[in-house]
């Protein structure tokens, strides 16, 4: 049976100890062995899990160039160990993130969308390790439940994560440490819930903000910060830009990419002509955007607005050097058309997706910090009469909706890691 790397829970096992006794409680469907071990593989198969040999999965990074490596499966090795960091903690236990009053969130959901955009037809699988490349210092203690967060981080964005417990966690599990086994069982319960509700997690994003990406770090970092600011963007490859549709894609971000080809340049300008707001950087040094009918409008020190046809072009005079500030500018540009907006949730990232069989709109909230305290105010684009809260290990809850013009507000009660709000 072929392993389904998108919809099965897959464990990476970097040890010569037998892990077969851990599979059922952790909700594990398949095990990948970087170093093949027939003895452990056979024990895992006897326990009901599929197994993958070392060469079954090949890895790519954000800077991948040239042909893709051979192999049945492709996984992105880039990624940070997920969680939230803060400069201080308030009296009620909430995060304070310094001058911005926001926690710094380490998250990888954007890499799922990045993989879908650049490698269509491949399962969006993340495979970073808890090591220095992921921001883990030597000797740093990793909480056991952060592995569950890594899984939620990927699934909430529509992908999957190749579970990679660090050595301390593996050893604690093998010796039956109570705290480790409790976290592992919680991981298993969450994994089963994710699979049962995968139809709510695999829907395409709302495309209010479309961000162009290509192989390389600059465009990926811009996409990462728009995600981190809950911009809920749709990522599209520069090689597969859709035709203009300003009603569905009112904002198209073409910053941080290589100078477009003449054909791509014309297509991007067509988006502006059709009524979209096109965002570019590089100013006069990248003049491909200077099309016929362009008219200067408002000018600022670092950027200028131009009208073109039914739309406009926002031109940054220099290349983007601060993706965080740039992401906030994009959200300001979206204004009332933002897919989602949150209040009092500094460690939460929100994503909004299109309708599926069970909903008209799905709001996914991932909490990278401590369990939220009290209600979170969330606003989504569109008018809905009902909303239901779902999440691992909790009963469904009907939420009261409140119309705010062309938007809908809900109060989301406190949750630990993942909350889905299903609107209809």
């Amino acid at each position: 049976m072929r392993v389904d790397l998108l919809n099965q829970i897959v464990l990476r096992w970097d040890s010569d100890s037998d892990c077969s006794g851990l599979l059922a409680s952790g909700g594990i469907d398949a095990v990948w062995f970087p170093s093949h071990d027939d003895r452990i593989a056979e024990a895992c198969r006897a326990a009901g899990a599929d197994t993958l040999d070392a060469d079954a999965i090949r890895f790519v990074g954000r800077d991948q160039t040239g042909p893709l490596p051979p192999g049945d499966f492709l996984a992105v090795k880039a990624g940070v160990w997920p969680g939230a960091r803060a400069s201080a903690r308030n009296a009620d236990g909430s995060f304070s993130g310094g001058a911005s009053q926001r926690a710094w969130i380490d998250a990888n959901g954007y890499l799922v969308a990045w993989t879908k955009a650049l490698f269509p037809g491949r399962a969006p699988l993340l495979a970073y390790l808890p090591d220095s490349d992921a921001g883990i210092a030597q000797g740093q203690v990793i909480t056991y439940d952060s592995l569950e967060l890594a899984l939620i981080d990927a699934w909430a964005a529509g992908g999957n994560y190749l579970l990679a417990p660090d050595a301390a966690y593996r050893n604690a599990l093998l010796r039956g440490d109570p705290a480790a086994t409790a976290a592992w069982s919680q991981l298993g319960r969450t994994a089963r819930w994710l699979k049962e509700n995968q139809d709510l997690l695999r829907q395409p994003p709302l495309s209010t903000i479309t961000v162009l990406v290509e192989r390389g770090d600059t465009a990926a970092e811009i996409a990462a910060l728009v995600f981190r600011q809950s911009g809920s963007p749709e990522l599209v490859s520069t090689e597969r830009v859709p035709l203009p549709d300003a009603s569905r894609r009112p904002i198209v971000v073409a910053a941080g990419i290589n100078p477009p080809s003449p054909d791509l340049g014309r297509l991007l300008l067509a988006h502006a002509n059709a009524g979209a707001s096109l965002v570019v950087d590089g100013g006069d040094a990248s003049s491909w955007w200077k099309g016929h009918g362009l008219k200067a409008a408002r000018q600022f020190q670092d950027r200028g607005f131009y009208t073109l046809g039914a739309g406009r072009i926002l031109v940054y005079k220099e290349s983007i050097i601060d993706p965080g500030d740039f992401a906030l500018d994009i959200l300001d540009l979206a204004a009332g058309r933002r897919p989602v907006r949150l209040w009092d949730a500094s460690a939460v990232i929100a994503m909004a997706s299109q309708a599926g069989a069970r909903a008209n709109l799905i709001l996914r909230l991932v909490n990278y910090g401590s369990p939220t305290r009290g209600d979170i105010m969330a606003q989504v684009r569109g008018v809905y009469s009902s909303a239901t809260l779902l999440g691992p290990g909790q009963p469904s809850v009907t939420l009261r909706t409140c119309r705010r013009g062309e938007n809908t507000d809900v109060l989301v009660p406190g949750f630990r890691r993942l909350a889905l709000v299903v609107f209809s």
Side-chain angles (χ1 to χ4, degrees):
M1 178 179 178
R2 180 180 172 86
V3 176
D4 182 354
L5 280 189
L6 179 60
N7 299 310
Q8 290 183 309
I9 306 301
V10 185
L11 172 67
R12 170 178 177 147
W13 192 249
D14 294 281
S15 173
D16 57 4
S17 298
D18 185 0
C19 63
S20 60
L22 302 172
L23 304 184
S25 59
I28 306 301
D29 300 305
V31 184
W32 178 65
F33 300 96
S35 299
H36 185 72
D37 189 311
D38 286 328
R39 175 181 56 87
I40 303 176
E42 180 57 35
C44 289
R45 287 191 291 269
D50 295 315
T51 59
L52 292 162
D53 290 333
D55 59 356
I57 299 178
R58 303 293 181 172
F59 298 94
V60 297
R62 293 199 319 187
D63 57 351
Q64 171 70 29
T65 59
L68 294 179
D72 292 338
F73 301 110
L74 193 70
V76 178
K77 63 183 179 181
V80 293
W81 199 251
R85 292 174 282 158
S87 58
R89 191 179 291 274
N90 300 323
D92 64 353
S94 61
F95 280 121
S96 174
S100 67
Q101 296 301 302
R102 289 188 60 86
W104 177 260
I105 299 175
D106 290 317
N108 303 291
Y110 78 96
L111 283 170
V112 171
W114 181 86
T115 303
K116 289 180 180 179
L118 295 185
F119 309 119
R122 299 285 192 132
L125 177 68
L126 306 186
Y128 54 90
L129 295 172
D131 58 14
S132 58
D133 289 339
I136 301 299
Q138 185 174 4
Q140 180 177 341
V141 175
I142 303 173
T143 59
Y144 295 146
D145 67 346
S146 64
L147 188 65
E148 178 198 8
L149 176 58
L151 185 69
I152 289 172
D153 177 48
W155 274 71
N160 202 355
Y161 172 65
L162 185 62
L163 291 169
D166 67 291
Y169 193 7
R170 288 198 311 268
N171 293 337
L173 287 170
L174 291 170
R175 68 173 181 267
D177 177 83
T181 55
W184 186 253
S185 295
Q186 176 61 53
L187 167 67
R189 290 189 291 272
T190 295
R192 286 183 282 272
W193 188 92
L194 292 171
K195 290 193 295 182
E196 290 167 359
N197 292 276
Q198 61 185 264
D199 61 315
L200 297 176
L201 302 168
R202 304 304 188 206
Q203 303 300 324
L206 294 179
S207 47
T208 299
I209 301 172
T210 300
V211 179
L212 271 62
V213 292
E214 59 190 10
R215 300 188 191 188
D217 284 340
T218 303
E221 194 61 23
I222 288 174
L225 269 296
V226 178
F227 260 95
R228 190 175 295 151
Q229 297 293 347
S230 294
S232 197
E234 178 186 19
L235 305 189
V236 301
S237 168
T238 54
E239 298 177 357
R240 286 173 290 277
V241 176
L243 294 174
D245 184 349
S247 64
R248 294 189 61 242
R249 293 185 175 84
I251 298 174
V252 178
V253 180
I257 63 173
N258 292 317
S261 66
D263 286 343
L264 177 56
R266 284 190 290 269
L267 178 55
L268 294 175
L269 294 178
H271 277 268
N273 262 305
S277 294
L278 175 65
V279 185
V280 303
D281 65 344
D284 290 337
S286 178
S287 59
W288 62 267
W289 49 271
K290 294 183 177 180
H292 176 71
L294 189 73
K295 297 179 181 179
R298 293 178 296 162
Q299 297 294 312
F300 300 93
Q301 182 177 358
D302 63 335
R303 59 196 135 158
F305 284 87
Y306 299 83
T307 61
L308 182 65
R312 58 180 176 171
I313 303 179
L314 170 55
V315 180
Y316 282 78
K317 297 178 181 179
E318 304 290 341
S319 298
I320 302 302
I321 60 174
D322 189 333
D325 285 346
F326 178 72
L328 293 175
D329 289 346
I330 297 302
L331 294 183
D332 287 342
L333 186 65
R337 295 174 297 182
R338 286 178 59 169
V340 57
R341 187 189 298 265
L342 298 181
W343 286 267
D344 299 325
S346 65
V348 175
I349 290 180
M351 293 165 279
S353 62
Q354 299 176 27
R358 295 164 61 186
N360 295 114
L361 181 141
I362 303 161
L363 174 63
R364 290 164 284 176
L365 304 173
V366 179
N367 178 26
Y368 294 82
S370 301
T372 61
R373 295 170 178 263
D375 295 336
I376 294 174
M377 171 74 79
Q379 183 179 89
V380 296
R381 181 67 173 161
V383 177
Y384 304 97
S385 60
S386 67
T388 303
L389 176 67
L390 305 173
Q394 65 181 52
S396 62
V397 177
T398 299
L399 304 180
R400 180 175 176 269
T401 61
C402 180
R403 179 173 180 175
R404 302 290 184 189
E406 296 303 312
N407 300 314
T408 300
D409 290 351
V410 293
L411 289 175
V412 181
F415 64 98
R416 191 176 69 89
R417 285 297 186 204
L418 174 64
L420 301 186
V421 183
V422 179
F423 291 89
S424 57

